[in-house]
């Protein structure tokens, strides 16, 4: 019985449970197995507890108790005797009577004082069947008698003397009606629970210290809310979250269906100027902004961030949880494995890579007949095609379902993919910076029978599957995108896809949990979605469409969703607009452009900034001329934003080395250059309080007229779309395609992929293709060395100059400082 109850508890199609069991089986174990929200009988300990405390609105009153109360007239101040009323039902009855003002006395059938009490009671309620040897002859004249027993005495029976009969009332039919009423109430509650609910969020208090401690010390000093508490505060239902530990939870996509009629909130993108190698704090601004909106201005807001790769975490850049008093916590969980999404991508990617090489090997070493017998084996005397094989037959124009009916020619077409090894574009991946995997040789063992080829590893977040995760809009959409991924060409020049290899379903299975965004929180207890993590220089550099869509529903019409685009506005923001917004159909309300005095000085001619090396004095001392000269980059990034017709607010991330005059100068130039507003921000040292002015500026800007538009039409030729980005965004004079790049453009156009958006793979350290050229380079020719396609993700990506898809470790990687305390199990050294 308990097993069946537990099964029905988890069935989303069952909204209430009513138990009809023999009386001997109504144990507390059985009653408490029912989820309180499905407890139609109102007999679980949780329901009874609420009833005893008078929280009638939050519980269901047991049907028998409701029936008794219907039969009893005004009982305020009257004496009610409960006889043989036991267990949960008896406790509920006693509690409700007392709340109605009755004086309640309970006794069992064998109680010596029973006859005496019957003489004085104004109402008598029999909770169980009367034993035959117990006389009931002294009921007070005019008293109401109610029998709740499942096998009541004949209705005509009366108690007491003949001249003073007390007619007995039974609750049987009425209790059934009351149970039906409870079912209706429960359904009403469920329907109400499915509607959008106003947030009831309790922010966590910050006590910023000076000097500001390390990020991990700040993170560890704060006690995060349990993630189920946070989920309830923002209107998530219990069955919409899957909890990972205490502070992380996956959110199910079913929420989108539940809130499909809920208007979206405002959509804010955080981008930046061309950064130094140290980064300029876009993640920190994103977190500081939502802390200010929710914890200080009482406006619903959600941050949507990318999951960091372990490459930078253990390499140079460190983590990506924000910093100072504006970060996601716990930061060590955020920066390491999180909920395993990148591992799922790695597994799926490498399964496909293995399938490619294995298929080539088997086709090279087997006849058509042998391949067919192995691909469509006889199982238990029967031979049949799998669903994915039937789909391949249909694509080949073979409309047959019986494996025995294929001709030799049809068998050959079915079993031979004829992959041209020189055209394979699908690489293996690992989530580690490992420069020695940039070029490898595979197939050197004797078992591979001489099939040797040159290959490479990419970093995991460069996988097309990561881009698909970030751009997909549903599980079905993800599965279709995975199937469309082109991994090579056949020897006739036709594309070979994951669907052709028969691996689509397996990839979807590996990715079924990764598609759900992960819920975390900021230092001030405001909600954050962490989902997907494509790099912005070699991919499109934005968190997932699904996280944004879910967050926009949860915040409500007046709320804000703040998401971040990688690197400068010329890279991450351009791809956000032209690729992500096309996939999602969402329109941004405002862009927050992050700048720092440090980066502007670099663009104004300051010395090189190197990760791990101390900053030169130019960056530590006031230098208004350097700042003014460097603002050309800020002005250019504002102009790029204006190409898309979206209001822009400049957020100046203030460092302790910045002088007030430098800060004022940047804000003045930004406003003169077309920014809606420019605000100095101190969230790193003060938390959300330090970003309140930014939040107010964003709220005002979001109400401005928005004339959003894409930069180019998808119908334009591939080369023309590349040229528009190069000239209008980067400021190039023109583009120059290598012969290999031109050949690929021609091939993709011929294969029908010419109408896809463009995802430029370019250095993030300059508007040009040359990292050393700062400020606003002009007059340069942008070299396109190669052009590749991510057909499943849905874009063409040209490689500008020499772009590596596998970073390397520096001389002194971050891992020198990372350690684990074996006593406390605390992580040290992450930043």
């Amino acid at each position: 019985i308990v097993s069946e109850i537990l099964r029905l508890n988890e069935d989303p199609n069952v909204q209430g449970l009513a138990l009809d069991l023999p009386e001997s089986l109504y144990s507390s174990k059985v009653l408490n197995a029912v989820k309180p929200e499905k407890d139609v009988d109102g007999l679980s300990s949780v329901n009874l507890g609420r009833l005893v405390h008078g929280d009638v609105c939050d519980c269901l009153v047991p049907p028998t108790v409701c029936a008794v109360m219907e039969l009893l007239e005004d009982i305020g101040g009257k004496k009610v005797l409960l006889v043989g009323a036991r267990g949960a039902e008896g406790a509920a009855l006693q509690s409700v009577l007392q709340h109605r003002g009755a004086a309640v006395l309970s006794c069992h059938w064998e109680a010596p004082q029973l006859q005496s009490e019957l003489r004085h009671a104004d109402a008598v309620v029999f909770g169980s069947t009367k034993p035959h040897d117990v006389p009931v002859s002294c009921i007070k004249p005019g008293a109401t008698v109610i029998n709740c027993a499942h096998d009541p005495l004949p209705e005509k029976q009366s108690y007491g003397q003949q001249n003073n009969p007390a007619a007995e009332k039974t609750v049987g039919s009425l209790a059934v009606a009351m149970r039906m009423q409870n079912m209706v109430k429960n359904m009403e509650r469920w329907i109400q629970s499915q509607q959008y609910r106003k947030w009831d969020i309790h922010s966590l208090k910050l006590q910023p210290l000076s000097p500001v401690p390390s990020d991990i010390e700040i993170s560890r000093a704060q006690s995060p809310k349990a993630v189920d508490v946070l989920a309830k505060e923002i209107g998530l239902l219990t069955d919409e979250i899957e909890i990972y530990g205490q502070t992380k939870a996956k959110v199910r996509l079913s929420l989108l269906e539940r809130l499909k009629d809920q208007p979206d909130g405002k959509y804010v993108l955080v981008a930046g100027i061309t950064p130094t190698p140290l980064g300029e704090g876009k993640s920190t601004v994103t977190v500081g902004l939502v802390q200010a909106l929710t914890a200080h201005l009482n406006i619903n807001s959600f941050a949507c961030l990318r999951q960091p790769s372990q490459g930078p975490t253990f390499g140079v850049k460190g983590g990506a949880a924000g910093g100072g008093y504006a970060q996601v916590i716990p930061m060590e969980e955020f920066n390491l494995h999180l909920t395993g999404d990148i591992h799922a991508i790695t597994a799926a990617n490498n399964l496909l890579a293995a399938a490619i090489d294995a298929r080539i090997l088997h086709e090279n070493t087997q006849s058509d007949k042998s391949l067919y017998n192995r691909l469509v084996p006889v199982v238990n005397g029967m031979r049949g095609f799998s669903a994915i094989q039937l789909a391949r037959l249909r694509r080949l124009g073979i409309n047959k379902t019986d494996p025995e009916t294929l001709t030799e020619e049809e068998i050959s077409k079915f079993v031979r993919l004829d992959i041209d090894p020189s055209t394979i574009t699908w690489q293996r991946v690992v989530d580690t910076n490992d420069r020695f995997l940039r070029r490898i040789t595979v197939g050197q063992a004797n078992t591979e029978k001489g099939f040797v080829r040159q290959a490479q590893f990419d970093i995991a977040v460069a996988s097309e599957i990561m881009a698909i995760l970030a751009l997909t809009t549903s599980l079905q959409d993800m599965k279709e995108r995975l199937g469309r991924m082109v991994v090579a060409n056949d020897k006739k020049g036709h594309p070979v896809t994951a669907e052709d290899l028969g691996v689509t379903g397996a990839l979807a299975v590996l990715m079924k949990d990764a598609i759900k965004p992960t819920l975390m929180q900021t230092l001030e207890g405001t909600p954050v979605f962490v989902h997907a993590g494509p790099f912005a220089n070699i991919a499109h550099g934005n968190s997932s469409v699904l996280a944004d869509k879910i967050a926009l529903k949860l915040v409500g019409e007046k709320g804000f969703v703040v998401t971040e685009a990688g690197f400068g506005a010329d890279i991450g923001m351009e791809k956000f607009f032209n690729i992500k917004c096309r996939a999602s159909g969402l329109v941004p309300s405002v862009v927050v452009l992050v700048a720092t005095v440090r980066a502007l000085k670099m663009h104004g001619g300051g010395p090189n900034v190197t990760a791990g090396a101390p900053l030169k004095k130019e960056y530590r001392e006031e230098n208004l001329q350097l700042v003014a000269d460097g603002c050309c980059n800020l002005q250019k990034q504002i102009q790029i934003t204006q190409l898309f017709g979206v209001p822009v607010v400049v957020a100046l991330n203030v460092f302790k080395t910045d002088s007030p005059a430098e800060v004022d100068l940047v804000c003045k130039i930004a406003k003169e250059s077309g920014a809606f507003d420019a605000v100095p921000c101190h969230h790193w040292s003060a938390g959300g309080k330090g970003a309140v002015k930014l939040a107010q500026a964003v709220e005002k800007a979001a109400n401005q007229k928005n004339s959003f538009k894409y930069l180019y039409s998808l119908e334009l030729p591939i080369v023309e779309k590349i040229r528009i980005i190069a000239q209008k965004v980067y400021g190039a004079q023109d583009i120059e395609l290598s012969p290999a790049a031109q050949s690929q453009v021609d091939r993709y156009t011929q294969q029908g992929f010419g109408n896809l958006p463009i995802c430029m793979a370019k250095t993030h350290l300059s508007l040009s293709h040359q990292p050393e050229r700062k400020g606003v380079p002009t007059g340069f020719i942008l070299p396109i060395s190669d052009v590749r396609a991510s057909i499943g993700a849905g874009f063409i990506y040209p490689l500008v100059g020499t772009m590596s898809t596998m970073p390397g470790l520096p001389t002194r990687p971050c891992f020198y400082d990372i350690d684990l305390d074996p006593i406390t199990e605390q992580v040290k050294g992450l930043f």
Side-chain angles (χ1 to χ4, degrees), residues 304 331 410 531 555 687:
C304 292
M331 66 94 75
E410 289 170 339
H531 201 215
V555 297

Side-chain angles (χ1 to χ4, degrees), residues 425-499:
T425 55
W426 195 263
Q427 310 299 344
R428 289 166 172 83
V429 299
V430 63
D431 196 33
T432 304
N433 289 2
D434 191 344
R435 63 178 69 246
F436 281 88
L437 294 178
R438 290 171 177 169
R439 182 66 59 198
I440 61 171
T441 304
V442 296
Q444 295 191 83
N446 292 333
T447 50
E448 275 52 73
K449 303 178 182 180
F451 173 57
V452 178
R453 71 178 181 90
Q454 293 288 308
Q456 69 185 61
F457 270 78
D458 294 337
I459 195 160
V461 293
S463 169
E464 182 176 350
I465 297 177
M466 173 62 88
I468 287 174
L469 178 67
L471 291 170
T472 193
T473 55
S474 67
L475 199 53
Q476 180 63 35
D477 178 58
M478 181 178 75
K479 189 175 176 182
E480 291 171 1
R481 286 173 178 268
L482 290 171
R484 290 199 299 267
M485 293 187 301
V486 174
V487 299
N489 292 325
D490 65 18
K491 290 170 183 175
K492 294 180 180 178
H494 301 132
V496 178
T497 65
E499 186 81 2

Side-chain angles (χ1 to χ4, degrees), residues 275-494:
T276 69
L278 306 178
E280 309 317 307
K282 290 190 306 300
S283 299
T284 312
V285 168
T286 302
V287 176
L289 176 54
V290 295
Q291 287 181 181
L293 284 165
T294 301
H296 298 270
L297 297 180
N298 201 29
I299 298 171
N300 292 356
S301 71
F302 232 112
C304 292
L305 299 175
R306 289 175 292 165
Q307 179 183 354
S309 162
Q310 288 179 188
T313 299
F314 292 102
V316 176
K317 193 170 178 287
Y325 286 100
Q327 55 174 304
V328 181
I329 57 172
M331 66 94 75
E332 57 266 50
E333 293 188 27
F334 176 94
N335 283 313
L336 297 176
H337 304 281
L338 200 64
T339 46
D341 293 357
I342 293 179
H343 301 315
I345 289 165
T346 302
N349 184 100
N350 293 343
L351 175 63
L352 180 52
I356 296 166
D357 287 325
R359 186 59 177 261
I360 295 173
L361 171 69
H362 294 313
E363 288 189 23
N364 285 344
T365 56
Q366 296 180 49
S367 66
D368 290 352
K369 184 178 179 182
S370 295
L371 279 169
Y372 192 60
N373 288 337
R374 286 178 169 85
L375 287 170
V376 194
V378 176
V379 180
N380 296 327
M382 299 287 292
R383 173 184 266 188
F385 293 116
S386 68
I388 201 165
Q389 289 176 328
L390 287 169
R392 172 163 166 75
L393 286 169
R394 288 192 293 271
R395 289 196 304 278
L396 293 171
I398 303 171
N399 296 311
K400 296 180 180 180
T401 58
D402 184 353
E404 305 298 341
T405 62
L406 266 67
T407 66
E408 287 187 5
E409 182 183 357
E410 289 170 339
I411 287 173
S412 182
K413 285 175 67 178
F414 173 72
V415 300
R416 297 276 171 198
L417 296 180
D418 278 333
I419 295 171
D420 180 354
S422 67
T423 66
I424 295 173
T425 55
W426 195 263
Q427 310 299 344
R428 289 166 172 83
V429 299
V430 63
D431 196 33
T432 304
N433 289 2
D434 191 344
R435 63 178 69 246
F436 281 88
L437 294 178
R438 290 171 177 169
R439 182 66 59 198
I440 61 171
T441 304
V442 296
Q444 295 191 83
N446 292 333
T447 50
E448 275 52 73
K449 303 178 182 180
F451 173 57
V452 178
R453 71 178 181 90
Q454 293 288 308
Q456 69 185 61
F457 270 78
D458 294 337
I459 195 160
V461 293
S463 169
E464 182 176 350
I465 297 177
M466 173 62 88
I468 287 174
L469 178 67
L471 291 170
T472 193
T473 55
S474 67
L475 199 53
Q476 180 63 35
D477 178 58
M478 181 178 75
K479 189 175 176 182
E480 291 171 1
R481 286 173 178 268
L482 290 171
R484 290 199 299 267
M485 293 187 301
V486 174
V487 299
N489 292 325
D490 65 18
K491 290 170 183 175
K492 294 180 180 178
H494 301 132

Side-chain angles (χ1 to χ4, degrees), residues 472-710:
T472 193
T473 55
S474 67
L475 199 53
Q476 180 63 35
D477 178 58
M478 181 178 75
K479 189 175 176 182
E480 291 171 1
R481 286 173 178 268
L482 290 171
R484 290 199 299 267
M485 293 187 301
V486 174
V487 299
N489 292 325
D490 65 18
K491 290 170 183 175
K492 294 180 180 178
H494 301 132
V496 178
T497 65
E499 186 81 2
D500 292 325
L501 285 157
V503 74
T504 306
L507 300 180
V509 168
L510 287 170
M511 294 294 294
K512 72 179 180 65
D513 292 319
I515 196 173
K516 304 164 191 169
T518 299
L519 176 66
M520 294 188 75
Q521 63 193 283
T522 68
L523 276 167
E524 297 191 54
T526 67
V528 178
F529 273 142
V530 187
H531 201 215
F535 281 173
N537 52 355
I538 55 178
H540 73 283
N542 288 271
S543 63
S544 78
V545 166
L546 279 170
D548 292 356
K549 281 179 171 282
I550 293 173
L552 284 164
K553 294 298 183 187
L554 286 171
V555 297
E557 193 170 8
K558 295 182 180 179
F560 285 80
V561 171
V562 184
T563 189
E564 172 208 349
F567 298 127
D570 57 305
I571 298 183
M573 185 193 72
E574 181 270 315
K575 294 171 183 176
F576 172 87
F577 287 137
N578 285 318
I579 298 174
K580 185 176 180 180
C581 288
R582 288 186 201 268
S584 68
L586 299 173
V587 176
S589 308
V590 60
V591 169
V592 174
L593 193 64
V594 179
T596 62
V597 168
R598 176 181 68 194
L600 293 172
K601 286 181 175 179
M602 178 190 73
H603 289 297
N608 287 338
V609 176
T610 306
L615 287 171
K616 302 288 196 307
K617 68 179 181 67
E618 287 86 348
Y619 297 104
R620 303 192 306 270
E621 299 172 359
E622 183 179 289
N623 191 321
L624 295 176
Q625 189 60 52
L626 270 183
V627 173
D629 292 345
C631 277
C632 61
N633 187 272
L634 172 61
Q635 292 169 311
K636 172 64 175 174
Q637 302 287 9
I638 292 172
Q639 290 166 13
I640 294 169
T641 308
Q642 291 171 333
L643 289 173
F644 298 93
V646 181
V648 57
V649 173
V650 171
L652 183 62
N653 209 1
V654 177
F655 294 174
K656 62 182 179 182
T657 52
D658 301 343
S659 74
E662 290 173 329
V663 170
D664 292 343
L665 177 61
V666 174
C667 292
K668 177 175 176 291
I669 292 174
K671 291 175 187 176
E672 291 172 350
S673 303
F676 174 81
D677 204 349
V679 185
C681 302
H682 302 273
H683 45 270
W684 182 81
S685 57
K689 184 179 179 180
V692 167
K693 289 183 179 178
L694 173 63
Q696 291 168 335
V698 166
E699 186 181 13
K700 290 177 184 175
N703 292 319
Q704 298 298 301
K705 183 181 177 183
N706 188 322
S707 53
F708 173 68
K709 56 184 178 293
Y710 298 119

